[in-house]
Amino acid sequence: MGRFLLRRILQTIPLVIGISILVFLVLQKVPGGPMTVYAQPGTRHSPAELQQIRHQLGLDRPLHVQYGIWLSKAARGDFGWSYQTSKPAGAAIARRIPATIELLLAAVILAVILAIPIGLYSAYKKNTWFDHTATSFSYLGYAIPVFWLGLIAQLVFSLYLGWLPTANRATPGLPFSFADHLLHLILPVSVLTLALVASWSRFLRSSVLEQLGQDYVRTARAKGLTERRVLTKHIMRNSMIPMVTQIAIEVPLLFGGTIMTETVFSWPGMGLLLWQSLLRRDYAVVQGILIIVALLVMIFNIIADVLYSRLNPRIGLN
Amino acid sequence: MKQEHRSICSWLMFVSWIMVALVLASCRQPTPPPGDEAEVPKPVDGGTLVYGYLEEPDNLNAYGSSMTYALVTSMLITNGLTTVNPDLEVQADLAKEVPTAENGGISEDGLTVTYELQEGVTWHDGTDFTCDDVKFTADTINTEAFIMPLSKAGYDKIAKTDCEDDHTVVFQLKEPYAPFVSLLFQWGIMPKHVLEGEADINKADYNRAPIGTGPFKFVEWQDGDHITLEKNEDYWDKKQQPHLDKVIIKFAEDENTILTQVKTGEIDVWDFVPASFVAQLEKEDVEVSESLQLTLESVHVNSGKPPLDDKRVRQALTYAWDRETTVEKIYPGQTLAVTQQAPQCWCANDDLEAYAYDPDLARELLEEAGWTDTDDDGFVDKDGKRLTLTISTVAGKKDREQVEAIMQDDYKKAGIELLIKNYDASSLFGDYSENGPLATGQYDLALYADAPGADPDSFDGLLTSDQIPSDSNPSGSNWNFFSNKELDSLVAEGRTTVQESERKKIYDRIQEIVYEESPFLFERFHTFSTVNNSRVHGITSSPTYLQNMWDHGANWWVDAQQ
């Protein structure tokens, strides 16, 4: 176990360096580049002025030198200056993490609670009205873009019914109140949860269906176990193996989903920050977030591997 | 190893998603400038106003930002030396009066500009505001290490700033610069006592928590969420005391989210409302006000490229396009542009009349230039080649695409074939080194807007022949590739002439030249729309980039709570 972890962690180091080179080069090559903000026609900079800015920002150095400086600083947690937020990029990102974690955690927990019974039951009652309804809903959940669903939810629950606040994390100007905070959480969490339930319940359904035809299920039934016991003890446990790894791998990628949700609901998390940084060419922040997400993907992959072997003793870590 | 593959794959997916977003992002245009409104009943003190922004400001030191929302927010907290009112008049702010040649504020040779400063002004932390702060601001701007996202053009004309006494600042210029007073030091003066010891003012804490002299004090800035300001009880301007207790600035990155929040009353004011939303909001219990900006929408003609280097062909393009009907149809109620100067400017040449729609005259002009329809295909030709032009704009801008379609029809009637080739914004406005079609002159006609400041030089100054982009001048601003010797010398003269009456003659003549030479087909001046909850009063708008914040929000008020 220890050796496995050590090996996996060592393996991620060249991967992270490779990814950082990729991120660095790709962002340099995107039309416009870091100078876009200063080179807009309306700003009327003279060539000499632009040259001066380029020099101040260190952009007149060779690319590999720029990368080296960036990497050595990034390794020490200094991701550069975020001009969009007027603070170090690391600090800008750090300030947004709690909001995203709160949103993600609420949505993931809620989604797991909903997706497991739905997936299990639709597989068990395959081709019944329940299964068909669940299937149609999950297709809807797949097909409807998060931002559209978010806007509709705002129209219905905030504008027409007036039950919930439209956006933001709290009512600005009021002292912090848990109830107010919770009210603001409902819409974004629901929208994100819906998309997750759609995908995870389908995943679990097919995984349960696969188990249902297995010999050990027949054996369990032949032993005279109750259906309930067969389902919860035997099938459940085996179908959860791929499900758990699936969730572990998907969680870091959920940041993609939170970009839309956070943007529509003005939720001040990392997703919104990434969106803002992309629009405003705040490269320091974009690079920082991409590296963090890459690290998260790798960490969660290791977690998935460990979980997988724990849940399924047939799989060894080597 | 399989896991690695999977992680790389999913990460690559994520990155490609980002790339798509980046490309989409480049379609968003930088937001430029502004108008006027009716008078209001007796203001009531107290209450909170929630102002909605479509973008989060980047930096509240206005000299360190080019983002409209950041610049206008700093206006609520700080004062400049002058401001520009809704009638486009330069008005004194921290200066006691606007320096002119007449009142002696501008010396006869135009090389010295003197501002008498208001007395009894204090910073929000209680320190006295003096001439030293102004000198510090001017000196900081002209420090090489200080990066200004907007050009230092104008500020770089300052040779030396002196304080005659605590309330008199004297700028010595390298050469006369007439737009000095109407373009410079309108953004908040920086507090010397706060920023003096900073190693790098571009990265100072002040930028996120400014201390100003304005009617509102900075309270807090919650990342990604809102900024809170509160009333400055000791505001120095006794004639203009703030009414509101609090101003909360709320950010939302999505237009539809803001729209819903305006309708539910969660947001009181939203400006820069897109035209398509204005129509929707007119049905709601909100007030919509519109004002004329200096922002000028026009078709830019590449006057350096045959056959458009022939003045007659350019004139024919103007006559052959029914601009009045186009504006009426696509932008009902907006103002047709006659010259490049907005009608409310002192510099506008009122003797000129809009080119009429006259396709016959257009054909005559084309014939003079050698273009006739010899093969009876409906299009004019010369040396066996049909007159085919291409027009470009930002792809996906519906209204502009409709304008292009109308032009296509109109030009067909005059025998000109018009093709449409639109680009995404970052490609269209790409700079010289990126081979941008405008910057490198690889276009015929281009439809987009220019946003000049409150001085005629800020538009005309872009049109001189030394601004034509080339390898040696890659950031040249003359994307019309227009060259006219008389205009070149008039622009230089206008910049160094300080008597307004003399300047007026110069800019009248410049407008005549541009009118006659037609390097632009003028369309209209933009309208700046503000929507506010009916409980909000006192918001008026400047046609410049100062917009609704030109008076620092001191005149804003809300109805007393029921």
Side-chain angles (χ1 to χ4, degrees):
Chain A
M1 181 73 183
R3 285 191 54 173
F4 166 77
L5 277 181
L6 189 70
R7 208 181 64 221
R8 287 301 306 270
I9 289 166
L10 286 178
Q11 278 172 356
T12 58
I13 292 174
L15 213 55
V16 170
I17 292 176
I19 284 170
S20 69
I21 293 177
L22 201 64
V23 165
F24 191 84
L25 288 181
V26 161
L27 289 181
Q28 296 289 329
K29 289 295 155 204
V30 163
M35 283 297 288
T36 314
V37 191
Y38 304 104
Q40 283 164 16
T43 61
R44 303 176 61 190
H45 283 114
S46 66
E49 248 180 300
L50 285 175
Q51 187 47 45
Q52 173 63 24
I53 294 175
R54 206 168 275 136
H55 179 71
Q56 286 290 330
L57 299 177
L59 295 170
D60 52 353
R61 301 182 195 186
L63 216 51
H64 64 272
V65 175
Q66 288 186 46
Y67 171 74
I69 293 173
W70 175 71
L71 186 69
S72 74
K73 283 188 174 171
R76 283 173 277 148
D78 176 3
F79 288 102
W81 186 258
S82 154
Y83 77 85
Q84 169 208 202
T85 58
S86 295
K87 56 170 74 161
I93 297 169
R95 288 202 63 163
R96 303 295 191 96
I97 290 177
T100 295
I101 290 184
E102 176 185 321
L103 184 66
L104 273 184
L105 213 59
V108 167
I109 292 175
L110 206 62
V112 168
I113 293 175
L114 290 173
I116 290 179
I118 292 176
L120 202 60
Y121 200 67
S122 357
Y124 191 62
K125 297 276 178 191
K126 193 182 157 201
N127 291 333
T128 60
W129 66 267
F130 180 87
D131 183 31
H132 291 308
T133 319
T135 306
S136 338
F137 269 105
S138 53
Y139 280 138
L140 267 181
Y142 266 132
I144 298 177
V146 168
F147 72 89
W148 189 83
L149 196 65
L151 291 175
I152 296 297
Q154 288 177 338
L155 284 184
V156 174
F157 294 102
S158 307
L159 187 57
Y160 300 139
L161 297 174
W163 292 350
L164 294 168
T166 314
N168 297 83
R169 204 174 168 201
T171 310
L174 294 183
F176 177 82
S177 112
F178 187 71
D180 176 64
H181 188 69
L182 210 60
L183 281 179
H184 281 84
L185 196 58
I186 294 177
L187 282 186
V189 166
S190 310
V191 166
L192 207 53
T193 303
L194 208 72
L196 291 181
V197 170
S199 133
W200 290 351
S201 65
R202 294 301 299 165
F203 192 87
L204 190 64
R205 179 182 179 271
S206 50
S207 153
V208 169
L209 278 180
E210 206 183 298
Q211 301 297 329
L212 272 173
Q214 300 277 335
D215 288 345
Y216 76 89
V217 176
R218 211 169 14 166
T219 314
R221 279 182 180 146
K223 279 198 300 188
L225 292 184
T226 61
E227 273 303 292
R228 190 192 178 81
R229 219 175 143 71
V230 173
L231 207 57
T232 53
K233 271 281 168 191
H234 295 258
I235 297 178
M236 224 340 227
R237 172 135 191 186
N238 283 301
S239 348
M240 281 308 285
I241 297 170
M243 177 82 182
V244 166
T245 43
Q246 178 72 14
I247 292 175
I249 290 165
E250 260 186 42
V251 165
L253 291 176
L254 271 175
F255 280 111
T258 56
I259 294 177
M260 279 297 148
T261 316
E262 289 184 1
T263 304
V264 170
F265 291 101
S266 310
W267 190 263
M270 267 171 75
L272 180 62
L273 179 65
L274 180 57
W275 180 244
Q276 292 175 319
S277 313
L278 290 167
L279 288 178
R280 272 146 238 167
R281 310 287 170 122
D282 197 358
Y283 287 91
V285 174
V286 175
Q287 283 169 346
I289 293 184
L290 286 182
I291 295 293
I292 289 174
V293 172
L295 279 174
L296 281 178
V297 170
M298 285 182 273
I299 292 170
F300 274 82
N301 263 295
I302 298 178
I303 294 177
D305 281 351
V306 172
L307 279 176
Y308 199 70
S309 70
R310 280 287 132 116
L311 289 169
N312 190 348
R314 282 174 298 180
I315 308 276
L317 280 175
N318 300 311
Chain B
M1 240 13 237
K2 208 176 151 220
Q3 292 284 334
E4 240 91 329
H5 279 295
R6 195 168 52 196
S7 59
I8 293 171
C9 283
S10 34
W11 188 81
L12 278 177
M13 282 287 290
F14 188 73
V15 169
S16 28
W17 199 93
I18 300 298
M19 302 315 296
V20 172
L22 259 180
V23 170
L24 288 177
S26 54
C27 303
R28 256 207 191 181
Q29 272 189 297
T31 44
D36 59 341
E37 209 180 275
E39 83 291 15
V40 284
K42 270 203 198 91
V44 180
D45 281 355
T48 298
L49 180 141
V50 182
Y51 210 114
Y53 282 8
L54 197 54
E55 286 174 351
E56 180 170 357
D58 53 359
N59 183 335
L60 294 184
N61 179 355
Y63 298 98
S65 177
S66 62
M67 184 195 272
T68 305
Y69 283 119
L71 299 173
V72 295
T73 307
S74 78
M75 281 295 284
L76 299 175
I77 305 164
T78 60
N79 300 88
L81 296 181
T82 57
T83 184
V84 180
N85 71 15
D87 299 323
L88 199 57
E89 294 156 356
V90 179
Q91 186 175 305
D93 201 356
L94 282 175
K96 274 186 189 155
E97 62 175 345
V98 179
T100 59
E102 289 75 17
N103 68 18
I106 302 174
S107 66
E108 247 170 67
D109 58 6
L111 285 171
T112 311
V113 183
T114 309
Y115 290 84
E116 296 293 331
L117 302 174
Q118 297 279 358
E119 284 156 43
V121 179
T122 53
W123 294 98
H124 291 159
D125 61 5
T127 311
D128 286 335
F129 159 82
T130 67
C131 171
D132 287 340
D133 297 306
V134 181
K135 177 173 163 52
F136 175 79
T137 305
D139 291 348
T140 301
I141 292 171
N142 282 323
T143 312
E144 273 205 344
F146 183 71
I147 296 181
M148 214 164 121
L150 290 171
S151 174
K152 292 181 180 176
Y155 294 103
D156 58 2
K157 307 270 186 204
I158 301 172
K160 198 154 78 82
T161 310
D162 290 312
C163 287
E164 221 159 72
D165 56 56
D166 273 358
H167 300 285
T168 311
V169 58
V170 183
F171 295 105
Q172 302 287 347
L173 308 187
K174 294 173 189 159
E175 55 185 338
Y177 183 62
F180 193 92
V181 171
S182 45
L183 291 181
L184 307 185
F185 296 109
Q186 279 158 5
W187 305 121
I189 297 300
M190 302 180 210
K192 182 183 177 190
H193 67 286
V194 176
L195 290 170
E196 205 171 13
E198 288 289 345
D200 182 354
I201 294 184
N202 280 113
K203 297 182 179 176
D205 291 341
Y206 168 85
N207 301 337
R208 283 190 63 89
I211 289 163
T213 52
F216 294 98
K217 292 186 192 176
F218 175 85
V219 180
E220 62 155 356
W221 181 346
Q222 293 255 356
D223 286 46
D225 206 86
H226 69 275
I227 291 174
T228 308
L229 310 177
E230 68 178 15
K231 186 192 222 165
N232 174 9
E233 301 285 355
D234 304 316
Y235 187 47
W236 58 270
D237 191 350
K238 297 298 168 221
K239 286 170 290 179
Q240 238 184 20
Q241 287 292 307
H243 303 295
L244 294 164
D245 285 342
K246 253 188 201 178
V247 175
I248 290 172
I249 292 157
K250 221 171 166 179
F251 332 123
E253 293 285 323
D254 189 286
E255 290 171 348
N256 291 294
T257 306
I258 294 203
L259 181 72
T260 306
Q261 287 183 300
V262 169
K263 289 177 179 174
T264 60
E266 287 163 283
I267 283 177
D268 295 314
V269 188
W270 176 31
D271 59 26
F272 248 112
V273 186
S276 56
F277 286 65
V278 171
Q280 271 194 61
L281 283 163
E282 272 166 351
K283 291 179 221 127
E284 304 285 326
D285 178 31
V286 291
E287 287 160 10
V288 179
S289 53
E290 296 188 324
S291 64
L292 198 60
Q293 286 183 279
L294 299 179
T295 306
L296 171 62
E297 180 106 359
S298 61
V299 173
H300 299 62
V301 182
N302 184 350
S303 316
K305 183 183 168 193
L308 297 169
D309 54 353
D310 187 326
K311 174 171 97 178
R312 292 164 297 191
V313 177
R314 298 198 297 266
Q315 287 174 338
L317 292 177
T318 307
Y319 282 118
W321 174 24
D322 189 351
R323 296 175 303 144
E324 204 171 336
T325 311
T326 308
V327 172
E328 258 168 39
K329 255 195 209 161
I330 316 280
Y331 309 101
Q334 298 204 17
T335 309
L336 188 75
V338 180
T339 77
Q340 67 271 38
Q341 302 301 346
Q344 65 271 53
C345 181
W346 55 268
C347 56
N349 184 337
D350 302 325
D351 297 335
L352 298 173
E353 269 176 49
Y355 272 86
Y357 172 54
D358 194 338
D360 296 331
L361 186 53
R363 271 192 192 263
E364 276 173 40
L365 283 162
L366 287 174
E367 203 173 324
E368 268 178 47
W371 295 91
T372 44
D373 187 3
T374 53
D375 51 6
D376 266 341
D377 64 351
F379 293 107
V380 296
D381 49 78
K382 184 178 177 178
D383 308 328
K385 270 182 81 181
R386 183 189 282 184
L387 180 52
T388 302
L389 299 171
T390 306
I391 186 165
S392 304
T393 190
V394 177
K397 293 258 172 197
K398 249 199 194 148
D399 51 335
R400 287 182 177 166
E401 286 171 351
Q402 285 171 312
V403 171
E404 288 178 327
I406 292 177
M407 290 178 75
Q408 211 168 22
D409 277 357
D410 285 353
Y411 281 176
K412 202 171 171 185
K413 287 174 206 149
I416 306 162
E417 184 178 45
L418 185 67
L419 306 177
I420 295 172
K421 184 181 177 192
N422 295 337
Y423 300 84
D424 69 90
S426 66
S427 309
L428 185 66
F429 298 113
D431 65 26
Y432 193 81
S433 64
E434 292 165 353
N435 209 21
L438 303 181
T440 53
Q442 302 176 65
Y443 75 101
D444 294 330
L445 307 173
L447 174 60
Y448 64 91
D450 296 277
D455 190 279
D457 180 61
S458 76
F459 188 98
D460 296 343
L462 306 182
L463 270 181
T464 52
S465 44
D466 59 357
Q467 285 290 343
I468 291 177
S470 65
D471 288 338
S472 58
N473 186 18
S475 69
S477 56
N478 185 348
W479 289 0
N480 297 57
F481 293 79
F482 176 68
S483 171
N484 182 292
K485 288 231 166 63
E486 191 187 349
L487 182 133
D488 289 352
S489 58
L490 284 170
V491 166
E493 203 184 327
R495 216 173 261 168
T496 49
T497 305
V498 287
Q499 296 278 352
E500 194 167 290
S501 50
E502 292 300 308
R503 290 192 82 202
K504 170 95 174 102
K505 287 178 208 153
I506 295 167
Y507 290 105
D508 276 355
R509 178 63 195 138
I510 292 179
Q511 286 165 79
E512 277 172 26
I513 296 171
V514 171
Y515 182 89
E516 164 83 15
E517 294 283 331
S518 289
F520 295 89
L521 317 176
F522 296 122
E523 190 203 79
R524 74 198 155 95
F525 287 99
H526 277 203
T527 295
F528 174 75
S529 304
T530 302
V531 54
N532 63 262
N533 199 306
S534 46
R535 74 186 192 101
V536 176
H537 311 275
I539 298 181
T540 54
S541 184
S542 170
T544 65
Y545 36 67
L546 303 170
Q547 299 177 346
N548 288 336
M549 282 67 167
W550 71 275
D551 65 350
H552 314 290
N555 294 308
W556 302 355
W557 59 282
V558 292
D559 288 335
Q561 299 238 300
Q562 300 298 312

